[in-house]
Amino acid sequence: MDPATLIAPSSPLGYPAPYWFLVLFKVLGFVLHSVPMNLWYTGIIIALLLRNSHDENGRLFSNRLMKQMPIIIALGINLGIVPLLFVQVAYYKAFYPATILMAWPWLAIIALLTIAYYGIYIYSYSLKGTVHKTSRWPLWAGWVSALFFVAIGFIFVNGFSLMANLSAWPDIWKNTSVAGAPLGTALNTGDISIWPRWLMMMGLAMMTTAIYSVFDCAFMATGESAGYKRCINGFAFRLYTVGMLWYAVFGFWYSFGTWSAQTKQVMFAYPALILTAVTAVSPGLVWLILLSRFHGAPFKKPATLLLAICQFLVLGLNGISRQIVQNIDIGVYFDVTAEQVNIQWSPMVLFLLLFVAGLLTIIWLLNRAIGEARRPVT
């Protein structure tokens, strides 16, 4: 069977906005979503491991992060609406067939997210402002939540990799259908690219968590001891180093071991080679900044903002590179940029106004949350 026969037909309405507009907010929305998403993706696991640390400062950071986690998750979920909206608009011809083939795992995200969110609330509220050990039940709730968030990440990687793995659709459809009707039980586990992509995301998440520990120390932990603030530099550097090495190993596997010949031809040739190289080495800049202050005084707010911006750029470069690779893979079967455009000005203007208003609201809420987080943990 020709995979092209399973691609959704073009909408007679066309794109409601130019492709550049759709992909801009798809990538921007994903990067904004990635920041809090990274914190729950590996940050929860790190915090739960630090809970039993012999280092009091490690337990204190664990406590601080997990008390903030309900807000972080809420922020990440809301920011995740933007990229999900635009991927459905710009890539509907591949998105809907892919998610139909894996409908039940895709729908399971809602159940997993709901349970995980409640588990974090149980753990967070069990802390009651203390660094002492919580009871067994909240601890189990925390670990279940951590595993569910990792599982959600795995399902998302499956979904978005299956969008671009059109050549596998016929076999997946045949193996998971009855009388031609797909059961919706498929996963894209036969695609070897999902494993390094999934694991590479963990490396990025560790790096983001490391930078967040510095941000929390500079902006929110103003009431904590000088000893706690001194230890954060070393903690962030060590965690970032582990995350960067993890990212390098699985990024190498992903790019050299799973990219198609066509993708390599584009991404390893000028001018895309510049983007590929900068994406690969960008974490090194953040690592050097952390190294320069390994034994120094805690980062001040301006330097912390610089670190945060640099890490945001690291995530942004990965988002842009991934988008180009996705377009190359999908482009074998159809050109996402060649769809008819029928600009709908009123929805576009309304979206932009609401997007700006939403960001301003989030900034205001974060400012209030930072004020609350500055209260010392006793």
Side-chain angles (χ1 to χ4, degrees):
M1 176 184 290
D2 183 358
T5 61
L6 299 177
I7 298 173
S10 295
S11 170
L13 299 176
Y15 282 157
Y19 174 76
W20 66 263
F21 182 92
L22 300 176
V23 78
L24 170 65
F25 281 97
K26 176 181 180 290
V27 175
L28 176 60
F30 175 74
V31 177
L32 290 170
H33 164 69
S34 293
V35 176
M37 181 268 289
N38 283 176
L39 297 179
W40 75 56
Y41 193 55
T42 60
I44 295 174
I45 296 175
I46 292 169
L48 292 173
L49 293 174
L50 287 174
R51 172 186 176 274
N52 294 318
S53 171
H54 296 296
D55 182 7
E56 181 180 354
N57 292 320
R59 297 195 301 272
L60 181 56
F61 173 70
S62 169
N63 193 34
R64 290 189 60 85
L65 181 60
M66 293 305 290
K67 289 189 70 177
Q68 299 166 22
M69 194 55 67
I71 295 176
I72 292 171
I73 294 172
L75 182 62
I77 292 172
N78 282 279
L79 288 173
I81 295 172
V82 176
L84 189 57
L85 169 66
F86 282 94
V87 75
Q88 292 177 76
V89 174
Y91 293 82
Y92 65 94
K93 294 174 70 172
F95 174 81
Y96 288 109
T99 51
I100 287 171
L101 288 172
M102 53 174 294
W104 286 112
W106 191 256
L107 290 173
I109 291 174
I110 299 174
L112 293 172
L113 180 59
T114 302
I115 296 171
Y117 203 178
Y118 275 110
I120 292 301
Y121 266 105
I122 291 171
Y123 186 95
S124 178
Y125 281 103
S126 73
L127 298 175
K128 298 179 181 178
T130 176
V131 298
H132 300 300
K133 292 182 179 180
T134 60
S135 62
R136 185 177 298 274
W137 160 242
L139 179 60
W140 276 107
W143 276 112
V144 168
S145 296
L147 294 176
F148 276 17
F149 278 123
V150 172
I152 290 171
F154 183 71
I155 294 172
F156 267 109
V157 170
N158 268 268
F160 291 121
S161 63
L162 187 56
M163 275 178 52
N165 189 23
L166 281 76
S167 61
W169 288 6
D171 287 339
I172 291 176
W173 171 68
K174 291 177 182 177
N175 294 331
T176 60
S177 65
V178 174
L183 298 175
T185 57
L187 283 173
N188 193 36
T189 51
D191 182 356
I192 61 171
S193 72
I194 71 167
W195 303 106
R197 280 185 63 186
W198 181 48
L199 294 169
M200 187 173 65
M201 189 166 60
M202 290 184 178
L204 286 169
M206 282 188 271
M207 290 188 282
T208 302
T209 302
I211 300 305
Y212 185 78
S213 69
V214 177
F215 182 88
D216 174 73
C217 182
F219 284 89
M220 294 180 278
T222 55
E224 304 299 348
S225 67
Y228 172 78
K229 295 178 181 180
R230 284 194 301 269
C231 86
I232 287 297
N233 286 10
F235 168 77
F237 174 77
R238 287 188 289 269
L239 180 58
Y240 200 93
T241 301
V242 173
M244 185 175 65
L245 293 175
W246 186 295
Y247 167 80
V249 169
F250 291 106
F252 184 89
W253 176 14
Y254 171 60
S255 56
F256 287 93
T258 69
W259 280 358
S260 66
Q262 182 179 4
T263 301
K264 290 178 181 178
Q265 184 178 2
V266 174
M267 299 303 291
F268 293 147
Y270 181 84
L273 176 61
I274 298 175
L275 175 63
T276 303
V278 173
T279 302
V281 303
S282 58
L285 173 62
V286 184
W287 183 81
L288 288 173
I289 297 174
L290 289 171
L291 176 63
S292 68
R293 300 289 291 274
F294 181 71
H295 292 296
F299 281 91
K300 300 297 183 182
K301 291 181 180 179
T304 302
L305 285 176
L306 174 62
L307 268 176
I309 291 171
C310 288
Q311 182 60 22
F312 186 82
L313 291 175
V314 169
L315 298 176
L317 288 167
N318 274 271
I320 294 170
S321 297
R322 176 56 204 157
Q323 185 59 67
I324 294 174
V325 171
Q326 185 182 67
N327 281 4
I328 294 170
D329 292 338
I330 292 177
V332 174
Y333 294 93
F334 68 94
D335 184 359
V336 295
T337 67
E339 292 292 303
Q340 175 188 353
V341 177
N342 182 20
I343 298 179
Q344 300 179 26
W345 290 105
S346 55
M348 283 179 60
V349 172
L350 180 60
F351 165 77
L352 289 173
L353 291 174
L354 292 176
F355 182 75
V356 173
L359 289 181
L360 292 175
T361 302
I362 288 172
I363 292 172
W364 177 79
L365 289 172
L366 288 176
N367 186 55
R368 295 296 301 270
I370 288 173
E372 289 296 318
R374 285 174 177 169
R375 298 179 181 181
V377 177
T378 57

